[in-house]
Amino acid sequence: MKNNSKQRFFISNLFALCLFITTGALRAQELKYTDGNNSWNPSLLGNHRVVVQFTGSGTVAKTTIDWRRRDENPEQKQIIVQDAKTGKNILNVKPENINRESGTIFFEPVSGKGTYYVYYLPYIDEGPNVYYPKGVYVKAKNTADAAWLSKAKTDLKTNCSVSEIQSINAFNSFYPMEVIATATETQNLIAQNKGKEFLVFPEDRMNSIRMQKDLPKRWIDKGIQNTFTDTALKGEYLAFQLGIYALQDLSNVKITFSDLKNKDGKTISAKNIGCINTDGIKYDGSVFSNSVNVSKGRVQAMWCGIDVPESTTAGDYLGEVLVSSGGATQTVSLHLVVNEGVTHNGGIDQPEKMTRLKWLNSTMAQENTVIAPYTPLEVKENEISLLGRKVLLNKNGLPTQIQTFFTPEMTSIGTKANDILAAPAQFHLVDNAGKEINNWKNSSFKFTKKEAGTVAWESSNTDTAVEMQVNGTLEFDGFLSYTVKITALEDVTFNDINFQMPLQPTSAKYLMGLGQKGGERPESLKWKWDVANKNQDGAWIGNVNSGLQFSLRDEKYSRPLNTNFYLQKPLILPASWGNENKGGIDIVPSGKTVLVNAYSGNRSMKKGDVLYYNFNLLITPFHAINTDFQWDSRFYHRYNNLDTISKTGATIVNIHHATPINPYINYPFVEHEKMKNYIDEAHSKGLKVKIYNTIRELSNKSYEIHALRSLGHEIFTPGKGGGFNWLQEHIGEDYIAAWFVPEIKDAAIVNSGMNRWHNYYVEGMNWLVQNVGIDGVYLDDVAFDRVTMKRVKRVLTKDGHPGIIDLHSANQYNKSDGFNNSANLYMEHFPYLNKLWFGEYFDYEKNQPDFFLTEVSGIPFGLMGEMLQDGGNAWRGMIYGMTNRMPWSENADPRPIWKVWNDFGIKGSEMIGYWSENCPVKTSNTKVLATVYKKKGSALISIASWADEDVKVKLNIDWKKLGIDPAKAKITIPEVKNFQSAQQFSVNSELAVPKGKGLLLIVNQ
């Protein structure tokens, strides 16, 4: 027994010694992860390296690196070894046993003992251009000579020590959340928790969970934690994570919170605690509820938040969070320490702490209050009046007439009604015998809402075979939305179900959409659905002062991706209107009307089947044009010294992204202090400042990017990944790479459609107005709908702020963009814009005046604009009151025309465009057009030519309309730099007008 005791003692001590040695060895192998301080060229070497110390002798060094990489197939990627002393790459290198967990590297230590760098993940950029890089990792290749390779024996002892793993900078680091656990460590963890369906790893807000396919080594080191502890100030939103590791397939993961209580019975209610992955508020104010499923072997981050009331008593609060899936549950204890003191501004001034995740569920500015210059809706019997327009309803709920009251010049609202409809809009249901259902019985029509901003109604209409339920909503800006529910009361077959709008020809002069460039309406148009290739579901048809945009929508409509991403997420073909591509739209003459016929083709319905023929109408114009705003608002579109800008005569500065005060695309929060200082100085000099900030893509520098990724495809659209190497290394997969700024390595990914990021966006705009003082926003395309635009306009104009919004778009009439018209695509936003800037790829030379009027000028919608591509055409632009915008390109200098405006005193003048029958000046050539800017006793006449050659014209002036005595009239052609030379001119003389150009004339008496 004594011997047995000694044996047990010996074995026990031997085990302890082995454990000590093993633990010590593990600690010795523990690597430091450090910041390389941008000390090497990542374009040649990649973003990651291992620092090794060669302590041996001879010509072969051997090191084994426990790098724990998250990338796939590391054995296929090149390893570069560099001599730290000389900075030269070493050719004699032999990688061995390269895998995600570790790798052995043999290399020639050309400088003897000392430091060497092992670079991994080197990449090259294959374009297509610097703004859309395609990072491709260099493939493994042998650079060693045979003689040296023969010396690199696998049984060679390790003669290097690994001191640290470095990333080019802290932002590129994999530590700690992207350093993977080994397969053995993971299997051991699973074995220790046999019988469990999942594991829960609480994690703090400063270490965003990033990987889905691997556990981080950090969790192995910490072990399973059953308690999460953190501290917060009063009023703070404390975010934290619950990392779910699925040991079996999980469905509908739920997070349930208890109240948090202190020892005195004070509580933080469970109502103040939530999980953004499962619950919240949608962008339109409705309830968000999401089912989270996790596949076996995957990690899912569940981001939670405790909204600590300001009134909370300081102290320790305890509670529980229950994680459940099916019948499986696990409980984590919550321990919150509330400190004394109230956090400033709810903690949102520190977004790096994830405090702004609370914004995802914001309802700010959601109430549909009337926004200036619009007026409250007024209902009188079946008539609804709004700014400059009127809608008359039939008992079936559809419009019997739509009218506008804008003058032809578009500078004011008159009293003469411009009828848009020639007859009531109607649905026609035609049976398989060709007979129309026309025995409708209207069982009810009633208004369900009468508010200043919204009027809603419903109507029920039945026939023997079908019921048609019509729900309509009109908003103060002229947005008319219809939900038309058709229910089969018996089995029925239709030859067609169509919706027809007979239009007055005077309100159907122009057309834009359905594959047509903006301009004069063709005699007839026959269009079929093609959502895979064309971003089209309707069109705008109208005149300068009266028109309608119509769009046909599926009940599950999701906004497609815009700009050159459309083909990656196109429109949903409406089940009703599209009807398996049987549907289409005809716009054709019909008697004395122009008929818009949206048909869906033959189909059968079983009793109880339901179809939704939903559609939207926008009644244009939205308001009169504000010419004085155009003359006063002179944009300088570049970050620059403010004194320099002031000297140009500009009044508004647009700050793009990739600038010192707004570096990161669509995330203008990082350098907000610099931005505020700049804006304060601008205001002191009488300048306004607007910033670039939109929703379309989001910078990888956004603090919340990994939290947003945890929401699946809600915020970011799915895609093939790729792009800039940071995205490949840290986002991994399932995204679309977007705009990239090479100078600051700002890499964005594409947002999906309408989601809770819009709530964050509205809150962010409000914060920028209230805390930074921005005067508005510059939108470079938008990926949100009018609901968000209204909210943005409300927060931008709150408390008397100017809230100036201008929209820029490149011409999207091309294959990549789905052949849509920019104005048609963004028209729902036009009611809240102050100016357009259209844009790259708009051809100001080859297109005709009707194109300028409809697609570029904004005038038929109550807006004015500016030109971009190649500096625009200054002569044609002035016909529409447009200049180019300085100093975006070398030839973009509107100052000579600004000087003409100043010298003439254009502010307060009446703009009378060539499109108005009231224009007092015409020329003798129909291809040379004139617009008049009229004041008492003087006028500025803008002439521009669309003739095919140089021409000479005479002016035909209606002096009475012009308000000038011809006997006293004096006409001058002033010198305008880069525009025209000074000339003598008399009323009866001919004007020489060069091809594609024009003149500015001033008339005085």
Side-chain angles (χ1 to χ4, degrees), residues 159-264:
N159 52 17
C160 293
S161 62
V162 177
S163 57
E164 57 193 287
I165 293 181
Q166 291 185 330
S167 55
I168 184 69
N169 51 41
F171 187 67
N172 277 274
S173 178
F174 290 130
Y175 183 81
M177 298 306 292
E178 296 172 272
V179 178
I180 69 169
T182 66
T184 299
E185 291 166 344
T186 303
Q187 289 304 316
N188 287 342
L189 182 72
I190 293 171
Q192 293 165 11
N193 292 276
K194 190 175 181 180
K196 293 183 179 180
E197 284 79 1
F198 60 89
L199 303 177
V200 181
F201 294 90
E203 188 59 77
D204 65 60
R205 59 188 174 180
M206 304 307 291
N207 289 293
S208 296
I209 297 171
R210 302 182 174 200
M211 300 186 296
Q212 294 181 325
K213 295 180 179 179
D214 293 281
L215 293 174
K217 177 178 179 292
R218 171 181 167 89
W219 290 355
I220 300 297
D221 294 341
K222 289 173 62 177
I224 300 293
Q225 303 287 312
N226 296 318
T227 299
F228 176 75
T229 302
D230 211 336
T231 62
L233 290 171
K234 299 174 183 180
E236 185 175 359
Y237 179 83
L238 177 71
F240 65 95
Q241 306 164 84
L242 297 173
I244 310 299
Y245 180 50
L247 303 180
Q248 302 293 334
D249 288 345
L250 304 177
S251 60
N252 197 23
V253 176
K254 291 293 184 184
I255 311 292
T256 307
F257 302 93
S258 72
D259 293 341
L260 302 181
K261 296 183 179 181
N262 71 2
K263 59 181 179 154
D264 298 322

Side-chain angles (χ1 to χ4, degrees), residues 77 306 482 892 949 992:
K77 298 165 186 170
I306 305 172
Y482 274 100
E949 56 190 3

